[in-house]
Amino acid sequence: MMINYNNIVSFKKSSIIFIEDKYPKKSFYIITSGKAVSYGKYFDSNMEYTKGDILGLVNSALNEPYFFNVKADTDIEALEINIDDIIKIYNKDLIKKMHNYLENSLEVWLSKYYINLSHHHSMTKYDINEGYVLNMAQVYNDNNFQTAAYQIYNQYLKLFPNSSSIKDIKDMIDSMKEYSLPEPEAMEDNVFFYKKGYCLYTELIAGNYLYIINSGKVGVYNVVNSKLVTRAIYSSNNLIDGYMPDINYQPLSTTTVVLEDSKIKLLKKEEFISIVANVNSLRPYYLKIICTKIRNSVLKVMALNSQDIFMKLLITIYYIVRTETLFTGKEINTADLLYKLHDIAAVIGYNDIGVIKSELKKIHYITIDDDYIHVIDINNFIKEYETYKKRLSIKSHHK
């Protein structure tokens, strides 16, 4: 059965297409004419969607409540596609279009997150000067990621061969020789075994691979305002994009460190897109991966924009739980999160670990042990998250 490309729906000007916090239909839209705008209580500016833009795909793919309202700004016509029919798409141009749109959407939302986190109001690329690079290395060193610092110091030598600090940096590198880990061991099918601590790539030089984690744990980080930010911590079946971002905005670049011995498959982006285009059964996996990344980025913006520290933490724990249980292959109702308290603090840009620990203890279905967070009842935690979010929404409407 083929996709019905004639399934065109219409929305009159000013009609509401999606309502914030409502669960989605099992379909999404590709706009063929007209313009829509989004707005919501956690976002300080509207976003516009025009011909070729996709509405509701992330929410439908993940069965995630809509993040914001979407309204028709003009009369709109759109192609409606059932989410289950993704596997039936044989039009390679449409598959590539959807991939490009999702990749761009991810970078846009990540940019919004970092603009809010760093209090910069533009997407200007940072000046990669000597001081910036040395500060970055020092931040990683101070946060016990010496292998990343070691790699950045070595990259400094290549970036600034005429620097007056070359001798000092070489001495620093010599003193850190113990953090030079052996190269990964090649296994079958382009899978490599990486020792704990190995730095896959840094914010200065991209990896130019997609990294699919077969087993183990990998952390993704970057430095913003001279502070380490935990971008994400991934385990089995997750995918990390090691390519330079298309948007020319330095905080989008990342450093990735292997947190425990791991087996990781390396693929070029072109290979992966070709596989997804030709192997229909892989599309749900790919779609969940990239939609999860977009969902997490949107919720990061929501958490930063919330004025309520408890809500910030609920949102953050919520998307981490949803991410970590995505590929378990079975129904589970408990989760031992990969993130420590300082990781949570870094994500929401809040420095007081004591306050974070105190607020987390107020969540009924969470325990903390050795700075790790355990969710002891996922279903009831999600209900608590949704209930508190609605309560805040009602309060804001009555102000």
Side-chain angles (χ1 to χ4, degrees):
M1 181 179 175
M2 300 287 286
I3 294 286
N4 179 9
Y5 293 103
N6 297 313
N7 189 21
I8 300 295
V9 295
S10 299
F11 299 96
K12 288 293 185 184
K13 180 180 179 179
S14 299
S15 61
I16 303 299
I17 301 172
F18 301 139
I19 299 175
E20 183 178 352
D21 290 335
K22 295 292 184 184
Y23 274 86
K25 298 169 60 178
K26 289 202 70 175
S27 60
F28 61 96
Y29 305 110
I30 301 177
I31 297 176
T32 55
S33 68
K35 184 174 76 171
V37 293
S38 66
Y39 59 97
K41 57 182 174 288
Y42 290 100
F43 305 96
D44 53 11
S45 61
N46 297 344
M47 292 186 69
E48 294 186 352
Y49 303 89
T50 55
K51 183 177 179 180
D53 286 340
I54 301 175
L55 301 176
L57 175 55
V58 172
N59 304 86
S60 292
L62 302 176
N63 192 31
E64 183 79 34
Y66 293 117
F67 311 120
F68 35 67
N69 305 294
V70 176
K71 181 176 72 173
D73 200 44
T74 65
D75 288 349
I76 287 176
E77 288 194 341
L79 172 65
E80 183 174 14
I81 300 177
N82 189 292
I83 195 68
D84 294 332
D85 289 341
I86 288 283
I87 201 170
K88 302 171 188 173
I89 296 176
Y90 294 94
N91 184 323
K92 301 291 177 63
D93 288 338
L94 179 56
I95 292 169
K96 188 171 182 180
K97 177 183 179 60
M98 289 174 63
H99 167 81
N100 290 340
Y101 180 81
L102 289 168
E103 287 279 316
N104 179 259
S105 182
L106 174 59
E107 290 192 6
V108 166
W109 281 107
L110 279 172
S111 295
K112 287 178 177 292
Y113 167 66
Y114 285 115
I115 286 169
N116 285 330
L117 186 67
S118 63
H119 307 297
H120 288 286
H121 298 291
S122 67
M123 291 194 293
T124 304
K125 192 171 180 68
Y126 289 179
D127 179 19
I128 305 296
N129 56 45
E130 294 182 42
Y132 176 78
V133 174
L134 292 178
N135 174 257
M136 181 191 298
Q138 188 63 51
V139 170
Y140 280 105
N141 202 29
D142 291 344
N143 283 275
N144 296 316
F145 288 119
Q146 286 87 0
T147 53
Y150 180 82
Q151 192 168 135
I152 292 168
Y153 281 129
N154 274 284
Q155 290 167 353
Y156 176 94
L157 299 182
K158 297 176 183 177
L159 290 170
F160 308 104
N162 300 317
S163 168
S164 59
S165 302
I166 285 290
K167 184 181 183 305
D168 292 338
I169 300 305
K170 286 182 176 179
D171 289 343
M172 174 73 75
I173 290 170
D174 285 339
S175 72
M176 298 178 70
K177 280 283 177 62
E178 63 186 287
Y179 300 112
S180 175
L181 295 178
E183 287 303 301
E185 176 188 344
M187 306 177 77
E188 75 289 342
D189 197 24
N190 218 34
V191 174
F192 294 83
F193 176 77
Y194 292 87
K195 295 290 291 182
K196 177 182 177 180
Y198 191 91
C199 181
L200 294 176
Y201 56 87
T202 75
E203 284 140 273
L204 302 177
I205 300 177
N208 292 330
Y209 281 100
L210 297 176
Y211 300 85
I212 301 174
I213 306 171
N214 286 1
S215 65
K217 184 167 70 172
V218 179
V220 184
Y221 307 92
N222 51 9
V223 175
V224 177
N225 290 353
S226 298
K227 292 180 181 178
L228 187 71
V229 176
T230 302
R231 171 92 159 246
I233 298 175
Y234 293 120
S235 56
S236 299
N237 296 316
N238 271 287
L239 179 149
I240 298 169
D241 187 342
Y243 284 82
M244 286 293 290
D246 289 330
I247 294 176
N248 193 24
Y249 185 47
Q250 185 60 37
L252 291 180
S253 299
T254 58
T255 293
T256 301
V257 180
V258 177
L259 300 180
E260 62 183 38
D261 291 355
S262 302
K263 292 179 182 177
I264 303 173
K265 183 179 180 69
L266 275 59
L267 281 176
K268 287 291 187 181
K269 186 176 287 188
E270 298 77 15
E271 295 176 272
F272 185 73
I273 295 172
S274 176
I275 291 170
V276 169
N278 290 291
V279 183
N280 296 29
S281 59
L282 280 178
R283 282 188 212 147
Y285 162 77
Y286 163 71
L287 195 62
K288 282 186 177 181
I289 282 283
I290 193 164
C291 286
T292 293
K293 291 175 184 289
I294 295 170
R295 185 270 313 279
N296 293 357
S297 300
V298 175
L299 293 182
K300 283 179 179 181
V301 173
M302 288 172 58
L304 284 184
N305 287 346
S306 174
Q307 300 303 308
D308 185 294
I309 181 63
F310 189 69
M311 190 69 234
K312 286 179 183 286
L313 293 169
L314 277 176
I315 293 171
T316 303
I317 301 301
Y318 169 78
Y319 73 70
I320 291 172
V321 167
R322 291 293 302 268
T323 302
E324 292 192 10
T325 58
L326 189 64
F327 295 109
T328 56
K330 56 185 178 182
E331 288 292 323
I332 62 170
N333 200 35
T334 62
D336 300 326
L337 304 191
L338 303 175
Y339 294 66
K340 284 191 169 185
L341 291 180
H342 73 266
D343 295 312
I344 301 297
V347 169
I348 65 172
Y350 198 89
N351 295 325
D352 195 329
I353 299 291
V355 170
I356 287 176
K357 192 169 186 177
S358 174
E359 291 294 316
L360 283 173
K361 285 181 176 178
K362 295 177 184 177
I363 302 174
H364 293 117
Y365 304 101
I366 278 179
T367 62
I368 300 171
D369 180 33
D370 193 27
D371 281 346
Y372 277 107
I373 300 164
H374 312 278
V375 183
I376 57 177
D377 189 325
I378 292 173
N379 293 333
N380 277 316
F381 165 76
I382 291 174
K383 288 177 184 176
E384 184 174 6
Y385 161 74
E386 291 178 339
T387 299
Y388 192 78
K389 192 162 178 275
K390 287 176 184 175
R391 191 181 304 153
L392 280 187
S393 180
I394 291 169
K395 280 184 181 178
S396 67
H397 285 155
H398 286 294
K399 283 184 178 179

